[in-house]
Amino acid sequence: MTFTFLPQSGSSGAALHRPRYRHQLVSVMKLTTFLLLVAFTQISAKGFSQTVTLSYRNAPLGKIFRDIQKQTGYHFLCTTEQLSSTTKVDLNAHDMPLKEVLELCFQSQPVTYAIVNKTIVVSERKSPGSIPLAPMFLPIHITGTVTDSITGNPLAGVTVRVQGNTMGALTDANGNFNLDVEGNAVLVLTYLGYNMKAIEVGQRTVLHIALSPSTTGLNQIVVIGYGTAKKTDVTTAISSVTDATIDKLSITRVEQALQGTLPGVMVMNQNGQPGDKPMIRVRGTGTNNDPDPLYIVDGFPVSSIEYINPGDIARIDVLKDAASAAIYGARGANGVILITTKKGKPGKITISYDGYYGIQNVWRKVPELNATQYATMMNEAAKNASPDNPLPYPDPASLGKGTNWQDALFQKNVPIVSHQITASGGNEQTTYLTSFSYFDQQGVIGGPKSEFTRYTFRLNLDQKVFDFLKIGTNVNYIFSERRAIFDNGDQGGQALGNAFNIDPITPIYETDPALLANYNPNAVKNGDKTYGISPLATFPNPLAQMALLNGNNKIDKLIGNVYGELTLGKGFKFRSSYSMDLENITSNSLTPIYYLLPTSSHPYATVSKNFSRSTNWQTENVLSYAHDFGKNNIQALIGQSAIKYFYENLGGSRNDPAPIDPGLAYIDVATDIASSVNNGGADTRTLASYFGRIAYDYDGRYLASAVLRRDGSSRFGRNNLYATFPSASAAWVISKEAFFHPGVVSFLKIRGSWGQNGNENLGSSFPWASTINTADNGYTFLMNGQEYLASGASLSAISNPDLKWETSEQTDFGLDMDLWNEKVSISADYYIKTTKGLLIRPSIPDIVGYSAPYVNGGNVQNKGIELGINYRGNITRDLGINASFNISHNVNKVTRIDNTSGTIAGANYINMGSITRMAVGEPIAYFWGVKTDGIFQTQDEIDNYTYTDPNSGTVKKIQPNAKPGDLKFIDQNEDGTINDNDRVNLGDPNPKLTTGLTINLFYKHLDLTVFTIGMFGQKVFNGNYRFDKTVSNLPSTMLDSWSPDNTGAKYPRFVSNDPNRNYSTVSDLLLEKDNFVRVKDLQLGYTLPEALTTRFKVTSLRLFVAVDNAFTFTKYSGFDPEIGATSPLSMGIDRGVYPQSRTFRFGIDLKL
Amino acid sequence: MLSNHKKHILALAITMLILAGCSKSFLELSPPSQVEETNFFQTQLQADQALAGVYHVLQWGNINHGHSPIMGFMEIASDDAYAGGGSSSDAVGAKGLDNLSATDAAPFNATDITYESVWNIYYQGIARANTLLANIGRVSATDDYKNEVSAEAKFLRAVFYFGLVRWYENVPLVTAPLLDPDKYNQPQAPPEDVLNQIAADLVDAMQYLPKSSMKSSNGHATYYSAEALLARVYLYGKGVYGSDLKAGDLTIDAAKTRANLDEIINSGTFGLFPVYADIWRKENEMGIESVWEIDCSDLAFMSGSTSNQYQAQGNYNVNYFGPRGVTGTPYTAGFSNAIPTQALYEEFETTPIVDPRRDATILLLNSTADAPGLIKGWQHTGYFNNKYNTAAEYLTSSGLPSINWGQNIHVIRFSDVLLMASELYLGVDQSKADLYLNRVRERVGLPDRAATEDNIRHERRVELAGEGVRYWDLLRYGLAYTKQMIDASSLVGPYYNGGGTLTAGANTPPNAFIMNWDSTKHGHIPIPPSQIILSNGTLQQNPGY
C-alpha cells in the first residue's frame, strides 16, 4: 500500500520503523476477508490515469486515498494523526479529474493537500486566525537529487521533509524530488540504513544531497533471525556486512565477503582452485566434526552458499554468541550466517550492469633445485648413507638446468570473467528484483582443464495483496560446472605436488628415440609429442597427469521460497513460508588409457557418470507480536519449523579397451558390456523445531531478551530425539541515561548474554545407527564349478541409540560505543564458549574390528576477544575516508575426551601416522611431535647424549644411530629412547590473532579501496616436499643442509637412508611459522561526472581496476600461507596446496 | 467480519494446529537404502551375506593405503625374498620386514602403517566372524544350516588368529563382539592361549564342515581345510612354544596330527598335478591339490586405485610381486616387491636335472629385452615370483588390473600335507616319512631321498617357495636357525642392479642386500604404536621394539 506516514516533527527518522505506526495503519482499515493465498492481482500497475472513478457512502479518507492511488499512481503522504482527525465522506465520481476529486475529499476537512511530483502531501489546514505575523516568505520550487555518498548511486524512496512542517516528498527511482518550500526552509532527509541529514535550503533551487550509509550508525538494522532489530536495541553479538562493502570487493564467492571484514569470523581459503570452498570458523573451532556455521539464506537453511551470486546479496549478518544463535537452536553451535538477498524498491525500473575481466597469475613459485643441483644433492645423500655407495649421478654438471616443472605447470594470464545484470523496481504494491549473472574462472594450474563456470538467475518478488496481507517469492536457479577437481590431499596424486617432487632431469617431452623406443605404448602424448616419464618411477609427469583430466561436475540448483505475511492488528503478525531446495548433480568422468608410471597405469578407458538429486524442504510458521506501551516495548514471537531432506543417486561406469573421444564420453559409447557397474542409494533426515523469543526494552535504555527452542532431529538416537536450548541476554544503553553527558562518546551500550546451542552437523544422517554395508563386500564362491560373486555384508559401525546433540554453551560480554557523533564506532566482545558432549568418533582400538560409534565424548573450550573499529569521515569536502579494522584473538583448548587415552588421533601425513591430534589441555588439532635441540656437530655430542638406567646403572646412547649433522631430539619422558612418548605440542594450526583492515578513500570522482587481512600465531606443516621419497626434488632451502663445511646449517645432513629419522620423525623441523599479512584487494575506481553520463541517459558509470592478492607478506616458504582444511583435524597441513592467484581485473559498474 | 480478538485466536489456533501436526514419526526415520543392524540376521540369505562378508576379508591386500599383501609380506620376511619396490624409500614398512630393523640402506619405522594394516585386517575379520557367531541364533533357518555357517565362521576366525599370533605373537584374544565401550580395551593373551583357541575353533568347525574337495564345497572351507590348518597350527605351536594344543578337553599332539594328516592323505579327495607349473594355471584353480584355497577373481570389476583393493575380489599379492614397468604381454607392470633372493635360486637342485620347480617358482627378467619396459627396482635380483605373477591369463579385461588379479591364493596344498606328515613321521615311521616326501619329489622327476630333518626342510623350501610358508617354517625351526638362514640370503647374485654401472634410477647399493636379521624381535613385528597409545598402556610392545 502506498501510504507513507511521516513521523511527528521532532521524532527521529528511525521512528519510521516503529511498530506503533503499523498498528495505526491497520486500525484505519477494514479487514473484510481473511485469505491466506491470493493470486497476484497487480504485478505492475497499468497505465495510470489522471481521472478517477469512485463511489462511496460514508467512507474514511484512508480508504479513498488508497483507491485513488490504485487508479492514478499518485502517492499520499500523511500521518495517522492527520487522518484520524478527518471526517468520513460521501463521494460519487465518474471519470472525474483527480484535482476535482481531491477538492471534494478535502472539503471541510481539518487538513489540506498539495500535489508535489506525483505525491499528494497532506498537511494541516491553517486556520485563518493562526496565520503567523512573521513575514511571509515566497514559496520557491526546488528540485534535488539524493545519492549514496559512497557509491554515488541515486537513492529512491528517500523521505524529504520540511522541518517544522508536514510537507515532504519521496525521491523517485533516479533519486530526484521536487518540492515547493518557503525560503529558509530546512530539509530533513531520512532513509533506512542511512544517516539522517538536515540541510538548509537557503536560496538554492537545485540541491545535490549525498546520504552516508549508517554502517556505524544507530539506525542500522540488523537481521536477528526471524526478524530484524535496530543495532542499538540488540543485546547479543552480531556482526554484519552490507552490499556497500560486498559490492566493492567484487568477490568470486560469498564466503570471501566475510574474510577479514568481521571480527570473530575467520575465513581461510583452502585452495586457489576455481570454485573451491573456503573454510569459515566463527569464534574458533568448537568441534572436530563439521565446524561450519549454519547458513540461512532469506530465512531458508541451506547446506552451502557457494551457489549464490555475490552480487545478489544485500547483507550478511553473523550471529556469533549463543544468545543470538539460540533461535536456530539445534544447529547454531558454530554460529549462524544469515544472508539476505537484494529486493526491488518502488519506483522507476533500475537496470544495472556490473562486470569485470581479469587475468590471473600465480603469486609465488617455490624455488627448487635445478638438475645439476639435484644430482649433486642426490650424490651427497648416497655418500652420506655409506661411503661405499656408488654415486647415482657421476657427472651432475652435464645435466644442466633441466626442467623447471613449476614454470611448466603454472599457466600465465589465465582469464577470469564476470557479468551481472540486475533489474529492479516496482510500485507500492509490487516490488521485484531480477538478476542474471555469469562467472567463469580458469585455474592457474590447468587453465581450461580446471575451470569453474556459474550462471545464476534470480527473481525476488514481493506483493501487497491487501493492506493486511503480503506475499512474496524468491526463486533462484543456478547452473554451475566445475572441471578437474584437485584436493589438498596427500600429494602423491596431485599435479602440483608432483611438479614439486619430480626430478628436474626428466624432460617435459621425451625426444631421445632410444628411450622412446622403450616407452610403454600407453605413455601420454600431446599430439606427436610424448610426455617424459621419470626413470625414477616415483612421481608422474604432472603435465601428462593434467592431460588426462576430463571430468566435470554439473550442478543444477533451484531454490525457491514463498511466504505470506498477515498483519493481524494489535501488533500481531503471522508469517508462513514454504521453501524448497532442489539440487541435481551430474558428474562425468573419463579415465583414458594411460601409462604414467609403473605403479600408475590404466590399460583401458573408463566412462562413468553419477547422477544425484537432493531435495530439502522447509515449512515455517511464525506468529509475532510487537507493541509499545509507552516506554515499555515488547517484541515476541513463537514459531515452528519442519525440515525434510531427501537424497538419491544413481551411477554407472563401463570400460572400453580402445580409446574414447572425450567429447563422446558416454556410457553407451564404451563397448565392454561385461564391465558395466552400477550403484545407487538414498538418504534422508528430518528436523522439527519449536521456538519462542521475547524481547523487552524500557525506553531503549534497558533491554533484555530470552529465547527458548526445542528441536527434534532424526539424526539422533531414539532415546534422545529432542533437546531444548535456552538463552538470555541483556543490555544497558548508558548513553541514554540522564546522568550521561554526551561528549566524545555519543553512544554507549554494554551487553551480556548466555545461552546454549546445538550441533547436529555430522557427515551421516544416521550416526546413531549401525547399518549393514553390502557394497563391495562379497566373496567369490563357486557354483557348478564356475566362480560367482556372492553378495556380502558387514556392520558399518557400532550403533549408539543414546547419541544426542552436541551442546555449545557460550557467555558473552560486549560493548558498543560511538564516538564523535558516530564518526567512530567501536564494538568489543569477550566470550567463553564451551562445547560439551562433542559428537566424536574417538579412535577406538582396532581390535574392536568396526568403525567407532559416534558418541558424545568430549569438551572443547574457546575463549576470545574481538574488537571492531569503524571510522567514517570527510577530511575535506572532496576527500572522504572510511576505514574499518577488526582484530580477534581466540584460545582453543580441549578440556575432556572420553576414551582410554584421552586423545583423538588427527590427520595422517604419508607414512608418519598422525601429525596432529586432540588431547586434553591442548588446542584442538595441535601439531604433535618431538622437539629438537639443534644439530649434532660432533660425534662427542652424540656420545655424550646418554641415558642412565636408574635401576641397572647402565648408560646408553639416546640416539645410537646419529652421526654428526643429524638432529638432536629431546627425550621428553627421559626414558632413553626417542619415540611417540616424547611427542609434545609443537604448535597450534589455528591463528591466535586474525585481523582485517579495509580503507576506502574518496576523492572527487575517484575511489580507492585497500583491503588487508592478517593472521598471526599459527603454525603450518610444510609437507610440499616428500621427504619420505629419497628421489624427490628439493626446495632450494635444502641446500642449506649440514655438512662439515656448513655446520651452521638450518637443516640436518642429507642422507638417503636417514638412519637418525631426521625426516621420518614428526618434529619441529617440519613446522613453520605461518604469520602473514595479505592485501587481498586493491581497487581504484573512477565514477564519470554526472554531467557527462546524463547526456547518454546513464545514471552512473564507474570504471575500476583491481588487484586481488596484490601483496602477501609472510616468511612461510610454501606456496601460500592461507591453508584451510575441510576437517578441523587437518588444519594447517600443507600438502601441496594450490596457491591463490594474483588477479588483475578491469571492470565496469553501469546504472541506467 | 472478524474482530481483532477473534483473529488472534484464529492465528494461534492455526499455529497450534501446525505445531501439533508434527508427529514423532516425522523424526523416527530409518536409512532408506540400507538395512539396520537390528533388522539383519533374520533370513538365511542375510546369514549367507554375513558369511560372505567374513570370507571377503581373506581377499584384502590393501586397506587404508597401507599396502598389505600379506602373503607378499610373509615372503619378504623370509630368506626367500627381499622387500624390493621402487626405491629405498618406497614401502618402508615392507623394507623393515627384511631384517626387522634399520639398515645402511633403508630405515625402519615402527609407526609405519604397514604394521597397523596387518593388525587391522585380521581384527576386522575376527569381528565379522564374532558378529556372525553371536547372531546366527536369530536367523530363521534349520539347525544344520546354522551349524555349518558357524563352523565356517569359526574356521575363518582361526585363520585370522593364526595370522595375528604369528605376526605379532602377543595379541588380545577376542571371541565375542566388543560392543560395550568398557570392553574395547583388552589385554594381550599368552600366545599359547591364542593357539589353543584356534585349535578349539578348528576342532569345532570340523564337526560340521563337509568332507569334500574345495571344488565340491563350492570354494567354502572344508573339513580337510580345517584339519590341515590344525596340523600347521600344531607344528607352529610345537616348534615355537614346544607345547601341544588344547582344544577344550581334546589335546592335539603329534599322534593326533599324524592321524589327521593321514585322514586327508587317504581320503582319496586330493592328489598332485602331474606338472608342477600347472598348479598355478587358471583352469586348475580349486583343483585336486587344493586343501585350502582363497578364491580371488576379477568379478567385481573394480576401477579406482590400489587403495580400493579391499573392495575388490582380486589378489593384491600378484600386483605386488609383478615386475616393474613392463609393458605388453605376457606380463603387466607390478610393484616389483618381494623379490626372490639368489639364495632361494641356489636352493633348487640342479643335478641330475634342474629341479623344474625352480623355473616354475622364479621368473628371470633382467633387461628390457626380456620384458619391454622393465624397470629395475630396489634390490633387483633379476628374479620375480613366477607362481603369482602378472601373467596374461589372469589379466582382467574390465577392472583396474592392479586390484583385480583373479588368481586364487593357494594356502595349503596337498604337497604341504604330505610334507607335514613326512615330518611328523620322522622317528616314528621312517617308511611313511620317506613315502610322503618322495611322493612330492617324484612328481617333479627328482630322485628319491631319505626323509631327514634337513631334507624335509629343503623340500618344503623349494616345494612351497613363494607361497608364504617359509618364514613360519623358519620360526618354528628356531630363532638361531632363522637368523642363520636369513643372514645367508645376503648373497648378491649376477643380475643385481648396482656396482659401478649405475644409471639414474632406482639403483641399489650392495649394502641393500646385506641381511642382518635382528633376532631380539623374536621374528615378530611391532604392536602398532598407535594401538598402544590408544590402549593407554594396556597393550605392551613386543620385545626388541
Side-chain angles (χ1 to χ4, degrees), chain A residues 412-433:
Chain A
K412 289 200 176 97
N413 302 335
V414 181
I416 179 168
V417 186
S418 169
H419 300 291
Q420 178 188 331
I421 295 174
T422 309
S424 70
N427 56 32
E428 293 300 324
Q429 277 83 30
T430 311
T431 57
Y432 68 91
L433 177 139

Side-chain angles (χ1 to χ4, degrees), chain A residues 520 604 655 718 778 850 1028 1057, chain B residues 29 89 104 313 327 398-400:
Chain A
N520 188 298
Y604 49 83
N655 303 336
R718 294 284 151 88
Y850 292 114
D1028 63 317
N1057 61 341
Chain B
L29 300 178
S89 57
D104 273 359
Q313 262 57 53
T327 60
S398 302
L400 186 69

